[in-house]
Amino acid sequence: MADIDDYYGLLGVSRHATEDEIKRAYLKLARELHPDTNPGDHGSEEQFKQINLAYETLRDPERRRQYDMFGPAGVRGGGAGAGSAAGDPFAGFGGGGLGDLFDAFFGGAGGGGMGSRQTRSGPRKGEDAEATLILEFEEAVFGVQHELTVRLPQACPTCTGTGARPGTTPISCSGCHGAGEVRRVRQSILGQMVTSTPCNRCGGSGEEITSPCADCRGEGRRREERSLVVDVPAGVDEGSTLRLPGRGAGGMRGGPAGDLYVHLRIRDHRTIARRGTDLLSVVHVAMTQAALGVSIPFETLDGVEELIIPDGTQSGREFRLRGRGVPHLQGRGRGDLVVTVIVDTPTDLSKDHEQLLRQVAAGRGEEVAPPDTGLMSKLRSAFK
């Protein structure tokens, strides 16, 4: 088994797994590890407790959000999942053993000694939504709390999300008699099994609206604009996507909201580029500075620092400023800032400067072009 604090690892799913993927993974493990299947095996019973806690945490959007942000410490000490895993391994299923385990997944229990229960599936969950957030280069590197405005279906304020005209109330659905689901019986190797699907008449709410709200036409929600604050972690890159559980479209007639997926776009920096967790920049120095060495002020994202260029530096040489790059998104520390030196050759020498360079070249035994004569300058200009 995985680390008991890694709930995703315990269930064998990724951190971006959907609710259905989490449910399927849990069902498979629960069948294998359930104490009814492994009588007397205390190891399997302990593992079942662990996956039960993991599932009870990740199946709930708010508890999953707290776990994603703060780890197990963010969800311990409260919630049905924590209590059930710490005590009775069947507590999360009402104490009914393997029968209630199947009831949790199929919306009803099978016959043949597995019990029988009728539960309303509830209002339908809202749709997931997408939005784009544009960040400045520095915001992506260091992280930021950024305000984002979205226009999504939200609970109707007139009917408070019920979908019924004020002063009236919904009635029990005539199609499913308030159950919110339609059940079908089938035979399997485990005996008689009952599966259920949301009622088409009421959409799973178990209720019908006889007097719809005039503002939302019985849907229980209206499209409205709202602002929310997005916590952007340090080190995100172009094209990253943040998942905000429960921030998507509100569900119909009081159903839970979907998730909001925020796609990040990052503006370019005027002097700095990015390569993974390293930052890249260029500094131009004069020929004399490269030959004799110089200390120059250089602007980093952390502020101005002194960059020492030693004598004899060649064009293209790289200098690495440790820990001045991008923070590691999934760990500690930062990348580096890599500065490439470009040596600029002068093109506008005065007569005196040219004479000095010729003296240097002669002293070093270096062959250079002869001085321009008036005729040579005219000929050169003619061919430009």
Side-chain angles (χ1 to χ4, degrees), residues 277-312:
T277 57
D278 285 342
L279 296 176
L280 310 177
S281 190
V282 173
V283 62
H284 289 260
V285 298
M287 179 185 65
T288 52
Q289 292 175 320
L292 303 175
V294 67
S295 176
I296 58 176
F298 184 77
E299 183 178 355
T300 73
L301 295 184
D302 297 275
V304 178
E305 298 188 19
E306 288 297 315
L307 179 64
I308 298 176
I309 307 295
D311 59 282

Side-chain angles (χ1 to χ4, degrees), residues 223-235:
R223 185 173 291 272
E224 295 182 351
E225 190 173 274
R226 66 185 176 99
S227 296
L228 52 92
V229 176
V230 179
D231 288 317
V232 180

Side-chain angles (χ1 to χ4, degrees), residues 152-185:
L152 294 171
Q154 305 295 326
C156 173
T158 303
C159 64
T160 64
T162 65
R165 180 171 55 85
T168 67
T169 57
I171 63 173
S172 180
C173 174
S174 59
C176 62
H177 306 290
E181 58 190 18
V182 178
R183 301 191 172 199
R184 295 177 175 83
V185 181

Side-chain angles (χ1 to χ4, degrees), residues 50-348:
Q50 295 170 8
I51 66 168
N52 187 36
L53 172 59
Y55 176 66
E56 288 298 317
T57 298
L58 300 182
R59 71 187 293 196
D60 181 86
E62 179 59 26
R63 286 172 60 80
R64 181 176 179 177
R65 186 181 71 84
Q66 293 292 326
Y67 173 77
D68 287 343
M69 293 177 63
F70 305 110
V75 293
R76 284 174 180 155
S84 62
D88 184 0
F90 314 122
F93 302 98
L98 191 58
D100 279 330
L101 174 63
F102 281 94
D103 180 59
F105 286 96
F106 294 112
M114 286 192 178
S116 180
R117 180 185 304 181
Q118 185 162 341
T119 57
R120 179 180 299 175
S121 59
R124 190 172 302 171
K125 180 181 177 180
E127 302 85 358
D128 291 342
E130 296 179 296
T132 299
L133 182 60
I134 300 177
L135 303 174
E136 298 298 335
F137 191 88
E138 294 88 340
E139 293 176 334
V141 171
F142 295 116
V144 69
Q145 284 191 325
H146 209 295
E147 186 174 282
L148 177 66
T149 300
V150 294
R151 185 173 178 81
L152 294 171
Q154 305 295 326
C156 173
T158 303
C159 64
T160 64
T162 65
R165 180 171 55 85
T168 67
T169 57
I171 63 173
S172 180
C173 174
S174 59
C176 62
H177 306 290
E181 58 190 18
V182 178
R183 301 191 172 199
R184 295 177 175 83
V185 181
R186 64 182 178 87
Q187 291 296 129
S188 73
I189 59 174
L190 297 176
Q192 191 180 66
M193 299 294 295
V194 179
T195 59
S196 61
T197 57
C199 174
N200 290 330
R201 187 179 186 89
C202 64
S205 67
E207 299 175 332
E208 289 186 80
I209 307 296
T210 56
S211 299
C213 171
D215 289 342
C216 66
R217 299 181 181 180
E219 188 174 328
R221 59 181 187 173
R222 294 191 310 186
R223 185 173 291 272
E224 295 182 351
E225 190 173 274
R226 66 185 176 99
S227 296
L228 52 92
V229 176
V230 179
D231 288 317
V232 180
V236 295
D237 206 348
E238 173 73 20
S240 299
T241 298
L242 303 179
R243 174 179 173 269
L244 306 183
R247 299 294 187 92
M252 294 181 61
R253 300 178 186 174
D259 299 336
L260 177 62
Y261 291 87
V262 182
H263 306 296
L264 303 180
R265 298 292 179 265
I266 302 171
R267 290 193 174 99
D268 293 334
H269 192 274
R270 59 184 178 83
T271 61
I272 297 176
R274 177 172 176 174
R275 182 180 61 199
T277 57
D278 285 342
L279 296 176
L280 310 177
S281 190
V282 173
V283 62
H284 289 260
V285 298
M287 179 185 65
T288 52
Q289 292 175 320
L292 303 175
V294 67
S295 176
I296 58 176
F298 184 77
E299 183 178 355
T300 73
L301 295 184
D302 297 275
V304 178
E305 298 188 19
E306 288 297 315
L307 179 64
I308 298 176
I309 307 295
D311 59 282
T313 295
Q314 303 298 306
S315 189
R317 181 175 176 180
E318 293 182 347
F319 294 89
R320 187 174 291 268
L321 303 183
R322 303 288 181 182
R324 293 295 184 268
V326 181
H328 296 284
L329 190 59
Q330 300 296 337
R332 298 180 179 178
R334 296 170 59 179
D336 302 329
L337 172 58
V338 180
V339 183
T340 302
V341 173
I342 302 297
V343 179
D344 294 330
T345 302
T347 58
D348 55 350

